[in-house]
Every structure is written in C-alpha cells, then in structure tokens.
Amino acid sequence: MAVYRAPENPIIKPADIIPSRDDLEVIGVFNAAVTRLNDEVILLLRIAEAPVMNSDKFVYSPIYDLDKKDIFFKEFDLNDPQIDFSDVRSVTNQEGLHLTSISHLKVARSKDGIHFDIEDSPALVPENEYEVFGIEDARISKIDDTYYVNYVAVSSAGVTTYLASTKDFKSYKRHGIMFCPDNKDVVVFPERINGKYYALHRPASSLFDKNDIWIAESPDLLCWGNHRFLISPSGSGWDSVKIGSSAVPFKTKAGWVEIYHGVDENNRYSLGGLLLDENEPWRVISRTKKPIFEPQTDYECNGFFGNVVFTCGLLFEDDKIKLYYGAADTLVCYAELDLEDLMTALN
Amino acid sequence: MAVYRAPENPIIKPADIIPSRDDLEVIGVFNAAVTRLNDEVILLLRIAEAPVMNSDKFVYSPIYDLDKKDIFFKEFDLNDPQIDFSDVRSVTNQEGLHLTSISHLKVARSKDGIHFDIEDSPALVPENEYEVFGIEDARISKIDDTYYVNYVAVSSAGVTTYLASTKDFKSYKRHGIMFCPDNKDVVVFPERINGKYYALHRPASSLFDKNDIWIAESPDLLCWGNHRFLISPSGSGWDSVKIGSSAVPFKTKAGWVEIYHGVDENNRYSLGGLLLDENEPWRVISRTKKPIFEPQTDYECNGFFGNVVFTCGLLFEDDKIKLYYGAADTLVCYAELDLEDLMTALN
C-alpha cells in the first residue's frame, strides 16, 4: 500500500524536549494522541525519561514517590543472575516488573500539522498510586464539546487505562480508571452509537495466553461493560503474537475504520486496518490481511526500541488518513494514506 | 474462631444430582450462591460433570459445541510430554488451558436451610461463545425486587464474569459480560450506596503477577468503572498466594463485611474477613489476620480438589453468619459463625 512519509520526519525528536529534571534525559517522544482545536492540530505527546547515569554496574528504574511528590531511582545490579534485563524497556526481579523509563504527557500545537510548538509545562504527570511507573500512550476522542483523554497508567498494581477530560488542553479533569488490570490500547469511539458510548480495548488472559481486541459499551465513559470479543492475533505473519487498537476509530460510508497494531515473533510492530459495522460496531466486516504500514526507514528500524511503527491517533480529513505515529519508541513522525487504498486492502 | 458445622454435612453431594447425560458423571456439587425467596432458602448450585471414561491413556476435556448445542469430549494423550496434567482441574497443552470438567447451575430449595429439593432441570447452562468451558461459582445479590446473578463464564477467550437476573428462579435474563478477561470472584453489594452500585472483583495482572481484590462502581450493574485497588495477598500464611471475594457483602453497624478466600502455597483455600466503610466501601477498615474458617474435616480435606473451603454466599440473620460453602470442590456444606466473634477477629 502506498504510504506518504513526510520528508520532515521525524517531526518531533527527544532533543526538542527539555527534560523535567537535570538528572533525567528524554529518551523518547512518541505515541502521540491527536485532535483539532480551532485552527490548530494538537498532539498529546508521550515523553519518556530515563536517569542520566553512565553505569556498567546498575540499571535504574525511575519511580514516582507519592509522599515526596518526586521521582526516585531504584537500582538493579547488572550482575544479579536473578534479574531479567532482556527487554530494554523493563527490568524484572522477584518483586516483579519495573520500567527503565518514566513517561508523562505534554501538549504540542501546530497550524500546518508538521511544525509543532511544544509547551514547556506538562499536561499530565503521574500523581496517584496507579501512575507511579508513569502515564503513557494517550488517545483523544472529541465528543460534543469535550475532549476525552484516555491514557495508560502503570504501577505495580498493574496496567490500567485512566480517563481524563479537557475543553481547552489547558486544564484537565481526572475521572478514574476505565479499565482494570491488565488493559491497555483503549480507543473510545468519537460519537454515541444508538445512545451508547463504545470503546475497543485489549484485556489480557494469562490463563489462556490471550491478547485480543474486545469491544465494550458505556453509559458515561467511565463505566464499561457488555464486553464482546472482536479479533485475535492471526497466528502467523505481521500480527501473529499480539494485537491492540491504536488510533481512535473514524467513520466512513463502509463503516468504522480502526487502525490497529500487530506484533510479530520478532517484536516488530506494524499497522493494519479493521472495518466494523456502523451501527453494530461489535460486528467485524473485514480485516486487512497484510500490514498497511510497516517499519522501513532508518528512523523506524533503529532507536530505543527498533522496528516499531505505532499510532495513537490520526486525522481523517479530505479522504486522507493523516497518521501521527511513534517510530522506534523514540520519535514522532507523520505519514499519509489514502482511504481508497485502505478500503481496497479491506476488501 | 468458633465454627458450628452442621452434623448433616455434606448437605448436598454428587450422588444427589442426576447427570445431564449418560456419559457424564457428577464429580462435584459445590460453591453455591444463596438467597431467600419467600419462605425458602434458594441455592444456585455449581454442578461439575466429567466424562465417564476409564482410560489410562487419555484425559478428556468436555466442551460445549455451539453449533451442535451439545457437549463433546476433547482427548489429551497422557503420554504426551508437552501436556501439563499437574492440576487435576485442568489440562494445558500448546493451544492453552482446558478443563477436565464442565459446570452448569441448578436450583435447590429448602424450608429449613438444611434439607434441599434439587430441581431436575438446570437453571443456567452454557449457551454462548464465552461459556463453552462451563459456567461456575454464581453469586446472588437481591436488589429491590430482582435477584441479580453473576457467574464465571469460561472459554478459550478467557475467564469472564457474566450478569443475569431473575425474579422467581424459574426464568432468567442474560445481560452480558460485566468484567472482561481475566476476572472472577465478583460480588455485587446488595444495595446502592449514594446512588451507585458497587462490586468487588479480582482482575489479574500477569505482567505484575497480581491477583488482588479491587472495587468498582456502576450506574446499571452491567457497566463497571472507577476501579480502585483494595487488598493484596498477604505474602505469608493462609492468604499468601491468592485472594478473592467470596460471599456477597452484608451490612453491619461497623460497616460492610466481606467474607473472602485466601490461598496458601500448598493450594489450601481458607476464608477470612474484611471490613469496609459503610458509605465509602473503597476504604478498608480492617482485615482478619488469621483465617476465620479453614479446611479441617475429612470432607473438606479430601475430595476432587482437597483442602478447600470456599463460599459463594451466606445468609446474615439474627447476628449469625449462615455459611453455605463448597468442601473440597465436591460437596455443599453448611456452617454458622457468630458475628460477634468475627467482629472481635476484625479488631
């Protein structure tokens, strides 16, 4: 499928972000939520920071301390054979999983959708017991005159999805946890369908080794139920191991289009398309057999966690899919796909 | 703590139940939900059935076939070194977990609370894709004039909790999945608190190896959110490995009392008490340090899965906790505890 990548890519990189503390460095700015507010494109960036420490003896995990209201560094001995350092994103010891970076969310604004001004102050930072390992991967769904923001809140209690809202991207209201552990990759449909809100989500069944996409309904956006299974990883190829919703769904004449991500056996993240019935979005019409977008460029294949393209949001305008995506868990990039091409792939 | 066990125990045993098919045997009747309807005590029994097959070569997993609307038996070769047969309740191969029995729910009625008439026809049997491995461990919460029944629905999609309701225990309405995979041990508070419904539940975080009790709120009993963490396994002793809510909470002058179960390193199931604030049930007031009820008798220590006492329901009457409980995943038994003793243990 033809993909237009902006020649300006990456459009935002770690060096564009001022670290929140002198002893932290920004290792990634990626997986941005996107919406329009007046004449501006708004991105809600995920900023990942790691301790600035050149140590060949220890790995450090930054954790938010609720009492001190600040980040401290937990130390892990690289020579301890009981500790698993195999994934650069995390460290696992007998106490469980810890992350090697801590994320928060920051707003960037643009008139042309390519050149962004990044705000100095963060939009949302960890502040409660469910967020002490960081807040990640926001999605924005504009419903009526409110922008609903859901993001992943991580702590040793598990991976949850939290709901907040804003009208102006200046002040935010937190509403509570929408989806309990472990659940992430939540996208809320941007309008009510037959009077109900809908969301795609990705619960985990460790007992049955499942990472499937489900759909749920809600009367109020905070409480979700009538959960229904949608699709599983395909078992082979680009989405063989894991899948999850990525961008907020958008409506077309053929139904709701969801751009989702798939992970293969080599931990390579690509994007595919899913078509859902307009009025009964729990009915799957079709799914692309091949990925519609794969890591190919140097900035997608190399970085903090390479071979990753991952989106948390897009603008669907003029029959174009304007995709803001994270490359290699390091950068914000921009690409365009034609709806017509996607619809052909969905047939 | 002093526990009165009925001398009639077990009050219901597998031989009291007619198998649903000639090639199935009832291996357990246990983990009954309980309520009162007019002058009767109603139990919603979990009936577990397994294939009648004396084979030293194979283990069989009974699964409901949605097309044929009947149970078939899946075969597992005992000599296959790739298959894990270590837990008598399940078989795990490369496809995932399968159960060695399949459960459905049946009503039993009694005037005196000890001698029960068991209905011939089942109340609820597997009937949809989320229930093909069986439906288990019901709880009943009477709210206004409706009895809400939640039960565990098991399939290869995961362990979910399903909502149904009845006014008479003759006809039932299914409402959908309340809690997505993996989530079980759900108990719904029997009245609204400040206009909202509340439930305790047990989500699983495999990433953080957590099996904790959480609380959620709901406007309609089907959709749940504002999830909040309540308590973890203690790390040592009787509830060191796993915990989960058991009986529907009941209200006392001191707050809501929840009888929950704990599992130790030897897979021994005991019961403890948890006291929650009357108006803000997400606030934990206290928790019993020792179990209030442990497997001790022969019928609790020996059976299909020994060393288990497990309750899904009780009647709180005359300051007595009238506990219906499953013994060794095989039998329904009855015990009484004094509220005063429990309150002392909760201090």
Side-chain angles (χ1 to χ4, degrees), chain B residues 293-319:
Chain B
F293 190 33
E294 300 176 89
Q296 282 172 340
T297 65
D298 176 61
Y299 54 82
E300 291 158 356
C301 296
N302 299 297
F304 175 66
F305 194 77
N307 294 310
V308 172
V309 291
F310 190 102
T311 183
C312 290
L314 55 83
L315 298 171
F316 177 55
E317 295 171 342
D318 312 321
D319 281 348

Side-chain angles (χ1 to χ4, degrees), chain B residues 268-282:
Chain B
R268 184 170 183 262
Y269 284 68
S270 305
L271 301 177
L274 181 66
L275 185 64
L276 305 174
D277 185 84
E278 181 179 340
N279 296 308
E280 299 183 336
W282 57 90

Side-chain angles (χ1 to χ4, degrees), chain B residues 127-140:
Chain B
E127 69 163 40
N128 62 49
E129 63 182 298
Y130 307 107
E131 303 179 347
V132 295
F133 289 181
I135 61 176
E136 308 178 351
D137 294 1
R139 274 81 169 181
I140 302 166

Side-chain angles (χ1 to χ4, degrees), chain B residues 5 16 18 32-33 38 42 63 122 132 134 136 141 153 161 194 205 243-244 246 272 292 300 326-328 333:
Chain B
R5 285 175 171 84
D16 299 334
I18 300 162
N38 303 325
I42 301 274
I63 301 171
V132 295
E136 308 178 351
S141 299
T161 298
N194 298 318
S205 170
I243 53 171
S246 265
I292 60 171
E300 291 158 356
C333 295

